[in-house]
Amino acid sequence: MAGNNVDLFVIGAGSGGVRAARVAASHGARVMIAEEHRVGGTCVIRGCVPKKLLVYASRFGHEFEDAAGYGWTVPDATFHWPSLIANKDREIARLEAAYTNTLERYNVSLVKSRAVVEGAHTVHLLSNEATVHAETILIATGAWPHMGPDIPGREHVISSNEAFHLEELPRRIVIQGGGYIAVEFACIFAGLGSEVTLVYRGENILRGFDDDVREHLRNEMRNRGITVTCGHTVAAVEKSGDEFVTRLSDRSTVISDKVMFAIGRRPNVMGLGLDKIHVKIHAHGGIEVDEYSRSSVPSVYAIGDVTNRVNLTPVAIREGHAFADTVFGGKPTPVDHTNVPTAVFSEPEVGVIGLTETQARERLVRLDVYKTTFRPMKATLSGRDTRSFMKLLVDGATDRVVGCHIVGPDAGELIQVVGIAVKMGATKADFDATMAVHPTAAEELVTLREKAMSYGRAAAE
Ligand SMILES: Cc1cc2nc3c(=O)[nH]c(=O)nc-3n(C[C@H](O)[C@H](O)[C@H](O)COP(=O)(O)OP(=O)(O)OC[C@H]3O[C@@H](n4cnc5c(N)ncnc54)[C@H](O)[C@@H]3O)c2cc1C
């Protein structure tokens, strides 16, 4: 136990906080970490990990169907939601214990309590009303689902947090949102057999992604029976017996057994005492920090979703590690937030890195676009109506690949590897010089020879 005097106090034992605490301790710091909920944070308890387990579950149905074309007869398969949830919960508990053990192994003191900032060097623990003095305070409190304006019936609506703990699989579900979490849950529920209506206020899902990716995935989702309604919002939700009647902004209604909102997440800055010491909050709602994650108060740092920079687990982890190396390892380490590869675990998956075509056209003097859509080989015998999509964006002046966008099976795995090449500054000539692996879908990336489009500055303006 580090006592009430520590070198580092971390608020929040999620992806970023745990990494920062462990690395700071390995540099010799006396570290205390507070967690008000469960060790592991959003990613482990109610984010990436349980989500990916549900994604796996949701894909078996298609596999059973596709098997027929390959000569298999699969007897009528049935699905039992409570078994999936119980198994998932067991795995999450195992991971939570592993995270806790790691902290113990590194002699980090874990306090199961809400913690708030009291001064530039003091933290208050709500569980026992203790005050801890710390040379440095790290805010790693993450973010929380935002449920939007107070529309009638909002109390009936669940967020992704509750979706992981439903007692039964909803036969019909309405999901409002167009970001990756809404899209992933739409695909999960559809894959498990629910009738899904996705409602999004914008003109197309996955705002911020490349337009071709957005269009391609929307069509694929529709092919899989998901109703995608863009340009509308949920105006009200009414409970009628066991059902919910969702009224949309165009006055149409959808009847379902559950209504879920995934319309964004807000940094957890409220009630933390940050105003007391004048920690600056950025216009986007996160804690304002410099490249070393230092806030406007020199002894207070912030990492991860609470800073609202790039809200992904590997980024929070990298920021936590860099913070610890900077402050306790004598190695100032800024975090590079460019070219972060990312995936959407939809069906089919999306994997992207770098600029979208719109961004590239705005920023580059010359841009070459290479793209292809094709039927994945597995779909030939299975007869499944699906297409994959790949696009490379190449700086016409330097030949560097500045963007790669994939929709298709294992796109998340592919983009991790393509990400290395893009991060290293690979050129289109490097891609072309790489021998194909045949027969794979990924070979398309090294055999794209014909430009789909070329833009010069004059054309872009
Ligand atoms: C449904 C869903 C799916 C996701 N899928 C992916 C994915 O596939 N890939 C990916 O990279 N990212 C994904 N994310 C995002 C990812 O989970 C977050 O970016 C990541 O967890 C951020 O880590 P963090 O350390 O900033 O915060 P968190 O992991 O949220 O940890 C913050 C912790 O602080 C605790 N806390 C808050 N306030 C206090 C306080 N005052 N005192 C004590 N403790 C406090 C919280 O209880 C929490 O445990 C997903 C998120 C969601 C919601």
Side-chain angles (χ1 to χ4, degrees):
M1 179 73 184
N4 280 0
N5 237 322
V6 294
D7 300 313
L8 172 65
F9 195 103
V10 182
I11 306 184
S15 306
V18 167
R19 174 60 67 94
R22 169 168 85 68
V23 177
S26 74
H27 287 314
R30 293 167 306 150
V31 185
M32 191 181 277
I33 189 167
E35 172 53 56
E36 66 176 340
H37 183 52
R38 291 177 68 182
V39 174
T42 303
C43 175
V44 174
I45 308 296
R46 51 187 173 276
C48 336
V49 175
K51 186 257 323 263
K52 188 79 187 276
L53 295 174
L54 298 200
V55 167
Y56 284 129
S58 72
R59 289 180 177 164
F60 282 98
H62 277 168
E63 292 290 321
F64 297 144
E65 284 167 15
D66 289 354
Y70 287 87
W72 288 88
T73 303
V74 181
D76 276 353
T78 55
F79 170 69
H80 190 235
W81 171 265
S83 302
L84 169 64
I85 297 304
N87 292 343
K88 180 264 294 173
D89 287 343
R90 227 183 347 268
E91 173 59 8
I92 301 308
R94 186 189 71 77
L95 286 173
E96 183 183 7
Y99 270 72
T100 307
N101 286 342
T102 302
L103 291 172
E104 280 167 6
R105 236 185 21 255
Y106 281 83
N107 284 326
V108 173
S109 294
L110 169 65
V111 198
K112 296 300 285 289
S113 168
R114 181 168 174 79
V116 294
V117 173
E118 213 171 51
H121 293 281
T122 47
V123 172
H124 182 70
L125 298 176
L126 271 66
S127 61
N128 59 0
E129 300 297 337
T131 295
V132 181
H133 182 273
E135 272 314 301
T136 305
I137 297 170
L138 178 67
I139 316 282
T141 50
W144 200 250
H146 169 58
M147 297 303 275
D150 195 11
I151 56 159
R154 198 179 64 170
E155 67 277 11
H156 304 308
V157 178
I158 61 165
S159 72
S160 57
N161 290 349
E162 294 75 41
F164 289 117
H165 299 285
L166 297 178
E167 280 176 12
E168 53 188 35
L169 177 70
R171 198 164 58 79
R172 302 155 301 179
I173 184 164
V174 171
I175 300 176
Q176 177 168 230
Y180 79 93
I181 294 176
V183 164
E184 288 174 342
F185 272 96
C187 294
I188 288 169
F189 282 118
L192 293 174
S194 306
E195 219 173 86
V196 180
T197 305
L198 187 71
V199 180
Y200 177 53
R201 67 177 177 176
E203 66 183 29
N204 204 352
I205 56 170
L206 292 184
R207 186 164 63 93
F209 282 72
D210 187 272
D211 286 340
D212 281 337
V213 167
R214 301 167 76 189
E215 200 50 35
H216 191 94
L217 183 65
R218 181 174 169 173
N219 288 334
E220 288 286 327
M221 287 170 70
R222 282 182 167 155
N223 270 352
R224 285 164 168 75
I226 298 172
T227 304
V228 181
T229 305
C230 289
H232 298 298
T233 53
V234 171
V237 179
E238 200 179 298
K239 191 162 171 31
S240 166
D242 288 342
E243 299 179 333
F244 295 100
V245 181
T246 299
R247 188 160 49 76
L248 305 187
S249 43
D250 66 349
R251 296 182 172 276
S252 63
T253 53
V254 189
I255 296 175
S256 67
D257 308 291
K258 279 283 171 231
V259 183
M260 170 178 164
F261 284 2
I263 54 177
R265 293 169 59 78
R266 292 261 166 99
N268 272 331
V269 292
M270 294 292 284
L272 268 183
L274 299 175
D275 44 338
K276 265 195 228 162
I277 55 167
H278 309 296
V279 170
K280 261 197 204 144
I281 304 294
H282 193 278
H284 58 40
I287 295 176
E288 191 170 302
V289 289
D290 67 12
E291 59 186 327
Y292 300 103
S293 296
R294 189 176 215 165
S295 80
S296 55
V297 175
S299 58
V300 178
Y301 288 71
I303 52 159
D305 284 8
V306 75
T307 61
N308 211 0
R309 288 176 280 183
V310 179
N311 298 331
L312 293 169
T313 291
V315 179
I317 290 174
R318 183 65 66 90
E319 288 167 358
H321 204 123
F323 152 80
D325 283 346
T326 300
V327 179
F328 297 100
K331 193 173 145 210
T333 312
V335 173
D336 177 4
H337 290 94
T338 59
N339 279 331
V340 174
T342 186
V344 180
F345 296 99
S346 45
E347 185 55 35
E349 270 178 29
V350 173
V352 304
I353 183 166
L355 303 179
T356 64
E357 185 174 330
T358 307
Q359 290 168 336
R361 285 175 66 173
E362 280 165 11
R363 292 182 202 180
L364 302 179
V365 175
R366 276 171 48 209
L367 171 70
D368 296 328
V369 180
Y370 297 83
K371 59 182 175 181
T372 179
T373 60
F374 57 95
R375 192 174 198 202
M377 193 171 176
K378 192 173 168 195
T380 54
L381 295 200
S382 72
R384 182 163 296 284
D385 177 17
T386 181
R387 308 216 21 112
S388 290
F389 171 79
M390 290 186 185
K391 182 183 211 175
L392 285 182
L393 300 170
V394 179
D395 184 336
T398 62
D399 199 39
R400 273 178 71 158
V401 176
V402 294
C404 177
H405 305 268
I406 304 171
V407 187
D410 300 319
E413 305 290 340
L414 294 179
I415 208 67
Q416 180 67 83
V417 182
V418 174
I420 302 170
V422 173
K423 195 79 187 158
M424 288 175 74
T427 60
K428 177 68 167 58
D430 293 324
F431 274 62
D432 294 347
T434 304
M435 204 66 85
V437 178
H438 184 72
T440 62
E443 67 182 303
E444 295 290 331
L445 291 169
V446 297
T447 53
L448 281 168
R449 293 289 184 270
E450 283 194 17
K451 290 177 197 166
M453 267 169 283
S454 260
Y455 300 102
R457 175 58 84 195
E461 276 164 0

